[in-house]
């Protein structure tokens, strides 16, 4: 406060000094003042001119004196005709200087502006305009007091406003502290970035306000735009107007960029008012992977059921032979079945090292046998070496093709139903050939059998297996093609490159 007061005092004194000097210069140059010096009693005219000016500018005094320093004007008329007090006239009377001084006069300490009165380049007098420092101090104190009043009032209002705003903001933020908000923000950010499902939030104008990494990868896999540039984009640029117009969407399958996705949509509601919509979507192939895994589990279960059913049938045959005392035929039947099983098991175990692939083929053999279909292993090359992605792709593709063949032959009116499987090892790739003697594939479907939704079977949810098989094989640089085989039905070739590159 002291420093502030001193700063204000210093600034005020400078301003008052400049003002006093300007007034003194103005009065010193007035024609009426200069002319009055030639009169017999100059003070009579000068006092009448100066005193109203002093009152107007609120100066403590305006004194006009001659070269001897005798006063011609003064606020106290009884001091007119006496010598000026202060001893600071020399620079004006001797050197023609106009200046500011601070000294003690007859009225007390004052800030003064001094200017010489000049006639024909001769100094004939001096003008002294003064403001008392005591009056300045009083003025400064009054201003500081008012400033403090206003400052305290503004501060008090500011504190009340800050409290009101903080209460309002806290209410908006569910009474959470900043540290809790920061943690919650970090948690939400991590959740959004680690969620494999694509998430899009839009406002009431259908402009994107939130997009996570998964959604960005599906929308713009080539990264033509940064994730920030997607903010504010109209969602109509992504989905059709019909989809945007719907409030709720559940498990809708559609194409997005190069992906088939499963889309869900729900409104965002705040205080019973819709403020936007939330879109969540995921690649169907990711969901299909889970379905394929469940299918594999189902295949294992079917394989065990088929084995149990087949074993029970054979037990019934053996029981019948024993009941009718055909002991030798029963023994021959047991030996024959044992040899067949050992042959197939030995053949598979010695040539296929991948457990999942081995289980798949065994399961399909058992399932086919239960339906009266013979799954023949024509040729399987030994020492097949597969990476994990290759093994997963082959299990999906081979499982789909074998399942299609089984379903094709299941209702086929023939007593000899055959599926042939061979796995050949060439220099640069493995080749799997699957063919059957079923009804085959219609010529009209031949060129589009791998297109989504195209199927030889009836039903709405058909035509996905071969499409998924082709896509998953292409990811490992492999392929699946429809070819002409030795049998009457369909023939598919699955090609898997060695070392991940198909030559």
């Amino acid at each position: 406060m002291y420093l502030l007061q001193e700063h204000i005092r210093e600034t005020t004194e400078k301003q008052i000094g400049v003002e006093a000097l300007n007034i003194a210069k103005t009065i010193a140059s007035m024609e009426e003042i200069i002319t009055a010096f030639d009169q017999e009693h100059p003070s009579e005219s000068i006092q009448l001119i100066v005193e109203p000016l002093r009152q107007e500018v609120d100066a403590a005094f305006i004194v006009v004196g001659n070269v001897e320093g005798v006063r011609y004007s003064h606020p106290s008329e009884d001091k007119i005709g006496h010598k000026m007090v202060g001893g600071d006239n020399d620079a004006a009377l001797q050197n023609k200087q106009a200046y500011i001084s601070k000294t003690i006069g007859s009225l007390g300490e004052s800030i003064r502006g001094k200017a010489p009165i000049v006639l024909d380049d001769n100094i004939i007098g001096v003008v002294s305009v003064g403001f008392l420092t005591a009056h300045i101090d009083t003025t400064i104190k009054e201003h500081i007091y008012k400033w403090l009043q206003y400052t305290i009032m503004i501060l008090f209002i500011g504190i009340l406003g800050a409290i009101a705003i903080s209460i309002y903001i806290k209410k908006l933020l569910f009474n959470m502290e900043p540290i809790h908000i920061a943690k919650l923000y970090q948690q939400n950010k991590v959740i959004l970035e680690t969620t494999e499902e694509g998430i899009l939030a839009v406002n009431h104008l259908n402009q994107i306000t939130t997009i996570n990494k998964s959604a960005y990868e599906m929308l713009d896999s080539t990264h033509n735009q940064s994730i920030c540039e997607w903010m504010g984009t109209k969602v109509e640029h992504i989905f059709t107007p019909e989809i945007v117009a719907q409030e709720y969407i559940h498990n809708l399958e559609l194409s997005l960029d190069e992906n088939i996705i499963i889309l869900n949509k729900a409104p965002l509601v705040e205080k019973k008012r819709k403020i936007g919509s939330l879109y969540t979507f995921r690649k169907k192939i990711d969901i299909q992977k889970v379905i394929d895994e469940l299918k594999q589990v189902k295949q294992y279960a079917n394989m065990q059921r088929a084995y149990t059913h087949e074993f029970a049938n054979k037990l019934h045959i053996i029981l019948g032979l024993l009941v009718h005392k055909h002991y030798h035929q029963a023994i021959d039947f047991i030996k024959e079945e044992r040899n067949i099983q050992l042959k197939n098991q030995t053949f598979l175990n010695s040539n296929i090292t991948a457990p999942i692939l081995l289980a798949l083929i065994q399961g399909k053999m058992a399932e086919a046998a239960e339906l009266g279909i013979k799954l023949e292993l024509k040729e399987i090359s030994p020492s097949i070496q597969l990476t994990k992605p290759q093994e997963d792709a082959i299990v999906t593709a081979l499982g789909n093709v074998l399942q299609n063949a089984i379903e094709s032959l299941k209702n086929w009116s023939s007593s000899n139903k055959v599926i042939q499987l061979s796995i050949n090892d060439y220099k640069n790739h493995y080749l799997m050939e699957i063919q059957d003697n079923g009804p085959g594939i219609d010529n009209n479907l031949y060129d589009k059998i791998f297109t989504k939704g195209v199927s030889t079977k009836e039903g709405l949810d058909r035509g996905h297996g071969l499409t998924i098989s082709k896509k998953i094989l292409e990811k490992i640089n492999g392929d699946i093609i429809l070819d002409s085989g030795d049998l009457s039905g369909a023939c598919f070739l699955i090609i898997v490159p060695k070392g991940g590159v198909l030559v």
Side-chain angles (χ1 to χ4, degrees):
M1 182 61 70
Y2 172 77
L3 293 175
L4 176 63
Q5 187 172 347
E6 287 299 312
H7 173 72
I8 294 173
R9 182 194 304 278
E10 183 179 346
T11 304
T12 304
E13 286 184 356
K14 285 181 180 179
Q15 292 175 347
I16 289 176
V18 171
E19 182 182 355
L21 180 59
N22 289 333
I23 295 170
K25 288 179 178 179
T26 301
I27 294 173
S29 63
M30 290 175 67
E31 189 65 31
E32 297 91 336
I33 299 294
I34 296 172
T35 304
F37 270 77
D38 293 331
Q39 297 175 5
E40 184 177 353
H41 300 288
S43 60
E44 292 179 0
S45 298
I46 292 174
Q47 178 72 1
L48 292 175
I49 296 170
V50 169
E51 187 58 20
L53 290 175
R54 182 193 70 79
Q55 293 174 359
E56 186 177 342
V57 299
D58 198 25
F61 59 85
I62 297 178
V63 175
V64 177
N66 60 16
V67 290
E68 285 83 19
V70 177
R71 301 186 185 103
Y72 288 161
S73 67
H74 196 277
S76 300
E77 292 186 1
D78 58 337
K79 294 183 179 181
I80 295 174
H82 297 282
K83 284 273 191 178
M84 298 172 69
V85 179
D88 55 348
N89 289 335
D90 293 344
L93 294 173
Q94 296 176 12
N95 302 323
K96 295 184 182 179
Q97 290 183 3
Y99 54 91
I100 300 169
S101 68
K102 181 179 181 181
T103 187
I104 298 174
S106 61
L107 299 177
E109 187 179 56
S110 60
I111 305 295
R112 303 177 176 189
K114 299 275 187 177
I117 301 172
V118 180
L119 176 63
D120 298 331
D121 203 31
N122 294 316
I123 299 172
I124 60 174
V126 62
V127 178
S128 178
V129 179
F131 295 86
L132 296 178
T133 55
H135 178 68
I136 295 173
D137 289 342
T138 302
T139 304
I140 289 172
K141 286 177 181 179
E142 288 177 356
H143 285 307
I144 289 177
Y145 180 70
K146 287 182 180 179
W147 177 81
L148 282 175
Q149 284 182 320
Y150 290 133
T151 301
I152 292 171
M153 188 182 300
I154 293 170
L155 183 62
F156 181 71
I157 294 171
I159 290 172
L160 290 178
I163 292 171
I165 292 171
S166 66
I167 291 171
Y168 175 71
I169 292 175
K170 259 199 150 184
K171 186 178 179 182
L172 288 179
L173 299 176
F174 305 102
N175 293 321
M176 289 191 296
E177 296 296 331
I179 188 170
H180 299 144
I181 297 171
K183 286 182 179 179
L184 186 62
Y185 171 77
Q186 290 294 334
Q187 288 175 358
N188 288 341
K189 186 178 180 182
V190 171
I191 290 170
L192 280 174
E193 294 305 316
T194 56
T195 300
E196 292 187 7
E197 198 168 21
I199 298 174
L200 274 183
V202 300
N203 59 17
H204 65 286
L205 298 175
N206 288 326
Q207 295 172 323
I208 296 175
T209 56
T210 301
I211 177 172
N212 71 341
K213 187 177 179 181
S214 297
Y216 172 60
E217 292 293 339
M218 281 186 265
L219 292 173
D220 190 5
S221 57
T222 58
H223 296 179
N224 292 323
Q225 290 180 273
S226 68
I227 195 167
C228 295
E229 290 176 318
W230 280 96
M231 305 298 286
T233 302
K234 286 277 191 179
V235 77
E236 286 88 348
H237 295 158
I238 302 170
F239 302 116
T240 62
E242 292 78 13
I243 290 175
V244 174
Q246 293 186 50
E247 288 233 338
Y248 290 91
I249 296 175
H250 182 65
N251 290 343
L252 175 66
E253 183 179 335
L254 54 87
S255 297
L256 181 65
D257 199 12
E258 297 180 352
N259 302 302
I260 305 298
I261 65 166
I262 304 298
L263 175 68
N264 290 279
K265 179 185 176 183
L268 296 174
V269 179
E270 182 183 15
K271 296 180 180 178
K272 298 182 180 180
R273 182 175 62 92
K274 183 181 176 183
I275 60 171
S277 298
L278 179 67
Y279 296 80
T280 59
F281 46 92
R282 191 165 184 174
K283 292 181 183 177
K284 184 177 180 180
I285 193 169
D286 294 336
I287 300 173
Q288 191 66 41
K289 287 178 182 177
V290 177
I291 295 172
D292 289 341
E293 289 178 4
L294 292 174
K295 279 185 178 180
Q296 290 177 16
V297 174
K298 185 178 179 181
Q299 287 170 1
Y300 298 149
N302 288 339
M303 178 182 69
Q304 296 303 322
R305 182 178 55 80
Y307 277 144
T308 301
H309 189 268
E310 186 181 6
F311 185 70
N313 289 337
K314 290 173 181 177
L315 281 178
H316 291 153
I317 294 172
I318 294 170
L319 178 62
L321 290 172
L322 292 175
V323 166
H324 292 90
K325 299 183 179 180
H326 298 301
Y327 302 121
H328 291 292
Q329 289 90 334
I331 292 171
D332 291 340
F333 180 79
I334 292 170
K335 286 181 177 180
E336 183 182 352
E337 289 298 321
R338 181 174 178 274
N339 289 334
I340 292 172
Q341 292 295 328
L342 284 174
K343 182 181 177 182
N344 287 336
Q345 191 67 37
T346 303
F347 181 76
L348 287 171
N349 289 339
S350 61
N351 290 283
I352 300 178
T353 57
I356 295 179
L357 184 58
L358 176 63
L360 172 67
I361 295 174
Q362 287 178 327
K364 292 302 178 184
M365 288 179 69
E367 184 179 351
E370 187 181 8
L371 296 171
I373 302 169
K374 187 178 181 181
L375 177 53
E376 296 179 350
L377 304 177
K378 287 185 63 179
E379 181 181 355
I380 296 184
S381 300
S383 64
I384 297 176
Q385 301 296 325
L386 299 173
T387 63
K388 184 65 171 63
Q390 287 177 328
E391 184 178 314
D392 292 340
I394 289 173
V395 167
T396 298
L398 182 59
N400 280 325
V401 174
L402 287 174
Q403 190 63 39
N404 287 345
I406 290 171
E407 290 183 7
S408 174
L409 290 170
K410 182 169 61 175
N411 299 319
W412 181 241
S413 58
S414 174
S415 58
N416 182 30
K417 303 175 183 180
V418 179
I419 300 172
Q420 291 182 349
L421 169 65
S422 63
I423 303 177
N424 297 295
D425 183 0
Y426 292 98
K427 181 180 178 181
N428 297 314
H429 62 273
Y430 299 112
L431 177 65
M432 300 181 183
E433 184 182 39
I434 308 99
Q435 58 178 324
D436 61 72
N437 64 347
I441 296 173
D442 191 280
N443 290 334
N444 295 328
L445 303 178
Y446 201 88
D447 294 331
K448 52 184 178 180
I449 193 65
F450 297 106
T451 304
K452 176 182 170 292
V454 175
S455 176
T456 59
K457 299 182 287 292
E458 295 182 356
L460 295 175
D461 192 23
R462 294 290 188 178
H464 301 302
L466 290 177
T467 304
I468 292 168
S469 299
K470 191 169 185 67
K471 284 187 176 181
I472 200 169
L473 283 169
E474 287 175 349
K475 284 188 175 181
I476 61 166
N477 296 316
D479 201 1
I480 178 171
I481 58 176
L482 179 61
D483 197 14
S484 299
D486 299 330
L487 302 180
S488 60
C491 177
F492 286 91
L493 302 180
I494 297 174
I495 308 169
V496 177
K498 291 181 179 180
V501 179
L502 188 60
V503 180

